Amino acid sequence: MKYHTIKTVNGKEKFYEFENKEEFRQWQKEIFGAWAKQYNRNSAEYKEHGCGPFDKVMATCIEQYCGHLYGTINGYLRGEPGCDRMLNYIFALDECFKTVPCTNINLLCYRNMSIDEMKSYKINGIAKGYLSVSSIYENCKEIWDNGRVITILIPKGMPIICPSLITMYERNDKLSDIEAELIIPRNMIMQKKFCKYIVLNERKSSLCK
């Protein structure tokens, strides 16, 4: 793992970048593994027996979001037409983010953005939908070649979901594992500075000068 020194309102801070998938896998297992194991156990209990601490939506919300509903859910959050059942998945994902682990270090990640998305974050824009980022530049560039790969800075303490550790994952090609994906909560502030975007919780103070 390497780091980049970036100037913030707190002075110069180190943002860490994974150099390969093996580094990322080890980190996500240490940080997210225990939560994922409990989630998978509760999810399996519902799917096998129809009972337990989870209902149907909670037991499938991460798989459904990552599998094929991410566009519909995020579109609904941005005000696009959508069915009301998306609210159930949004509530379930929000509940997950209340208990998931937070990053233990500042992370430097990447996201392939369209021109329209970049324009929407021009002046401290709010990312109304959930945000997926890749922790490895080369993987992000290889998989998504229809936009521009942008640097995303994720401060220490940000809640995260690592979908590749969730069982019953619906993408047959395990795309989240290939690109070392992280998902962060909705309604985050996207603050642009020096061609980078830093993701800020609305309750956190600004990090960039």
Coordinates of all heavy atoms in Angstrom, one line a residue, residues 2 6 9-10 29 78 105 110 112 124 168 172 177 188-189:
K2 N 0.6 2.2 -0.9 CA 1.3 3.4 -0.9 C 0.4 4.6 -0.5 O -0.8 4.4 -0.4 CB 1.9 3.7 -2.3 CG 0.8 3.8 -3.4 CD 1.4 4.0 -4.8 CE 0.4 4.0 -5.9 NZ 0.9 4.2 -7.2
I6 N -1.7 14.8 0.9 CA -2.6 15.8 0.4 C -2.9 16.9 1.4 O -3.1 16.6 2.6 CB -3.9 15.1 0.0 CG1 -3.6 14.1 -1.2 CG2 -5.0 16.1 -0.5 CD1 -4.8 13.3 -1.6
V9 N -7.5 21.1 5.6 CA -7.6 22.1 6.6 C -6.9 21.7 7.9 O -6.6 22.5 8.7 CB -9.1 22.5 6.9 CG1 -9.7 23.1 5.7 CG2 -9.8 21.2 7.3
N10 N -6.6 20.4 8.0 CA -5.9 19.9 9.2 C -4.4 19.8 8.9 O -3.7 19.2 9.7 CB -6.5 18.5 9.6 CG -7.9 18.6 9.9 OD1 -8.4 19.5 10.6 ND2 -8.7 17.6 9.5
K29 N -11.1 -7.8 4.4 CA -11.4 -8.9 5.3 C -11.2 -8.5 6.8 O -12.0 -8.8 7.6 CB -10.4 -10.1 5.0 CG -10.8 -11.3 5.8 CD -9.9 -12.5 5.4 CE -10.2 -13.7 6.2 NZ -9.3 -14.9 5.8
R78 N -32.5 10.4 -7.1 CA -32.3 11.7 -7.9 C -33.5 12.3 -8.4 O -33.5 13.3 -9.1 CB -31.2 11.4 -9.0 CG -29.8 11.1 -8.5 CD -28.8 11.2 -9.6 NE -29.0 10.1 -10.6 CZ -28.4 8.9 -10.5 NH1 -27.5 8.7 -9.6 NH2 -28.7 8.0 -11.4
I105 N -8.5 4.3 7.8 CA -7.5 5.2 7.2 C -8.2 6.0 6.2 O -9.2 5.7 5.7 CB -6.3 4.4 6.6 CG1 -6.9 3.3 5.6 CG2 -5.5 3.7 7.7 CD1 -5.8 2.6 4.9
Y110 N -11.1 5.5 -6.9 CA -11.4 6.0 -8.2 C -12.9 5.7 -8.6 O -13.5 4.8 -8.1 CB -10.5 5.4 -9.2 CG -9.0 5.7 -8.9 CD1 -8.2 4.7 -8.2 CD2 -8.4 6.8 -9.3 CE1 -6.9 5.0 -7.9 CE2 -7.1 7.1 -9.0 CZ -6.3 6.2 -8.3 OH -5.0 6.5 -8.0
N112 N -15.4 6.1 -12.2 CA -15.5 6.5 -13.6 C -16.8 7.3 -13.7 O -17.9 6.9 -13.5 CB -15.7 5.2 -14.5 CG -15.6 5.5 -16.0 OD1 -16.4 6.1 -16.6 ND2 -14.5 5.1 -16.6
N124 N -19.6 21.8 -4.7 CA -20.0 21.1 -3.5 C -21.3 20.4 -3.7 O -22.2 20.5 -2.9 CB -20.1 22.0 -2.3 CG -18.7 22.6 -1.9 OD1 -17.7 22.1 -2.4 ND2 -18.7 23.6 -1.1
M168 N -24.3 -14.9 -2.1 CA -25.5 -14.8 -2.9 C -25.4 -13.6 -3.9 O -26.4 -13.0 -4.3 CB -26.8 -14.8 -2.1 CG -27.0 -15.9 -1.2 SD -27.2 -17.5 -2.0 CE -28.8 -17.3 -2.8
N172 N -22.8 -12.6 -11.9 CA -22.1 -13.9 -12.1 C -20.6 -13.7 -12.3 O -19.8 -14.6 -12.0 CB -22.7 -14.6 -13.3 CG -24.1 -15.1 -13.0 OD1 -24.5 -15.4 -11.9 ND2 -24.9 -15.1 -14.1
D177 N -15.5 -7.8 -7.1 CA -14.2 -8.3 -6.6 C -13.1 -7.9 -7.6 O -12.0 -7.6 -7.3 CB -14.3 -9.8 -6.5 CG -12.9 -10.4 -6.0 OD1 -12.5 -9.9 -4.9 OD2 -12.4 -11.3 -6.6
M188 N -23.9 12.3 0.4 CA -22.6 12.8 0.7 C -22.3 14.0 -0.1 O -22.7 14.1 -1.3 CB -21.5 11.7 0.5 CG -21.6 10.5 1.4 SD -21.3 10.8 3.1 CE -23.0 10.7 3.8
I189 N -21.5 14.9 0.5 CA -21.0 16.1 -0.3 C -19.8 15.7 -1.1 O -18.9 15.1 -0.6 CB -20.7 17.2 0.7 CG1 -21.9 17.7 1.5 CG2 -20.0 18.4 -0.1 CD1 -21.6 18.7 2.6

